[in-house]
Amino acid sequence: MTFAATVLTLYPEMFPGPLGISLAGRGLREGLWSMEAIQIRDFATDRHRSVDDTPAGGGAGMVMRVDVLAAALDGVAPGRPILAMTPRGRPLTQDRVRALAEGPGAVILCGRFEGIDERLFEARAIEQVSIGDYILSGGEMAALTLLDACIRLIPGVMGAPSSGMDESFETGLLEYPQYTRPVEWEGRTIPEVLRSGDHAKIEAWRRAQAENDTRLRRPDLWERHEGARVQSPSGARRRKQDDVK
């Protein structure tokens, strides 16, 4: 099964964009995933190819029309989840990315202007997704971000299979610090444990660093991680042992 991405956008020339180079681009050329960018204006019915209109009730800006967007969505082959990139959506998580990457692909709707007529979400099964608490000029950059996160998990796209697992968020923690040559730079050296060759000590050091960085930098992630550990039977036993110590 090939991961198939269909993007509905006013700017199809933005795709595949950066997804057409590096590992993602090679995967695209090798047929590991596919992409289609569809011009929303092609589904407008007036001579001006209008896709937006003034907000009901007044206000600044323009709103994307429900009839045009519905026609665009209805013209796409069914069977894949439909996602709309919007700051009003649920935050994108690595768990959701992995679930999407393991599926048949996704249809992604890129919003523009002041947003999308709410009736579209009432009438169609659309998952609203946000990539962060900030505003972009449109959903295209967010769609590229979502697709990049998914594509790198497709088997064969990345090099070593473990590369996709040993990273931030995959284990509920931020990734540990990374180093490479030269051993010494401006008086700073690579931690001795990483040069020891003792894989058990290296693994323990990396785990401790990941936990410490997560606790200090992302207390929200640390709280969820600790909660999940306590809820598991093995985690509960570890916590009890820690308390005894």
Side-chain angles (χ1 to χ4, degrees):
M1 177 179 62
T2 300
F3 182 95
T6 297
V7 181
L8 303 180
T9 172
L10 294 177
Y11 300 97
E13 61 271 21
M14 293 180 67
F15 298 90
L19 300 179
I21 60 175
S22 189
L23 296 178
R26 185 179 67 185
L28 181 61
R29 292 188 294 274
E30 293 177 353
L32 299 178
W33 67 283
S34 64
M35 165 168 279
E36 177 186 24
I38 296 177
Q39 172 59 262
I40 295 173
R41 291 192 186 277
D42 290 344
F43 297 87
T45 56
D46 67 330
R47 64 188 181 93
H48 297 294
R49 303 175 77 202
S50 303
V51 298
D52 59 328
D53 210 328
T54 55
M62 305 291 279
V63 177
M64 298 189 78
R65 291 175 51 144
V66 64
D67 54 344
V68 177
L69 293 180
L73 284 174
D74 294 345
V76 176
R80 290 170 291 164
I82 301 173
L83 293 80
M85 310 310 298
T86 167
R88 298 182 63 223
R90 297 176 110 183
L92 183 65
T93 65
Q94 188 65 17
D95 285 343
R96 186 63 184 119
V97 166
R98 183 164 290 281
L100 288 168
E102 292 173 350
V107 177
I108 305 177
L109 173 59
C110 300
R112 281 273 165 176
F113 314 121
E114 294 302 312
I116 296 170
D117 189 312
E118 188 68 18
R119 291 173 293 180
L120 184 70
F121 302 118
E122 297 170 357
R124 299 291 187 274
I126 302 174
E127 178 183 349
Q128 299 183 61
V129 178
S130 168
I131 64 166
D133 296 337
Y134 48 86
I135 306 300
L136 299 172
S137 299
E140 286 78 14
M141 296 302 295
L144 288 167
T145 298
L146 183 150
L147 287 172
D148 180 74
C150 292
I151 292 162
R152 63 191 306 278
L153 297 181
I154 297 172
V157 171
M158 296 182 66
S162 61
S163 297
M165 293 298 297
D166 197 18
E167 294 180 318
S168 296
F169 311 118
E170 283 291 354
T171 62
L173 298 170
L174 297 180
E175 189 179 7
Y176 48 80
Q178 297 280 10
Y179 299 86
T180 189
R181 289 177 290 185
V183 173
E184 183 175 346
W185 175 77
E186 292 190 354
R188 296 170 171 82
T189 59
I190 296 174
E192 185 176 351
V193 64
L194 298 180
R195 296 178 279 130
S196 68
D198 189 323
H199 296 294
K201 288 184 178 179
I202 291 172
E203 181 64 27
W205 180 88
R206 286 174 168 172
R207 177 75 182 187
Q209 292 294 314
E211 291 182 346
N212 188 58
D213 284 354
T214 304
R215 185 170 56 249
L216 295 177
R217 302 180 185 184
R218 289 292 302 273
D220 57 324
L221 288 180
W222 179 251
E223 184 177 349
R224 288 201 297 271
H225 172 72
E226 284 292 274
R229 189 172 72 164
V230 170
Q231 288 174 11
S232 69
S234 59
R237 286 196 296 271
R238 285 198 304 271
R239 175 56 65 86
K240 191 171 183 180
Q241 291 170 357
D242 293 343
D243 292 342
V244 171
K245 292 178 182 177

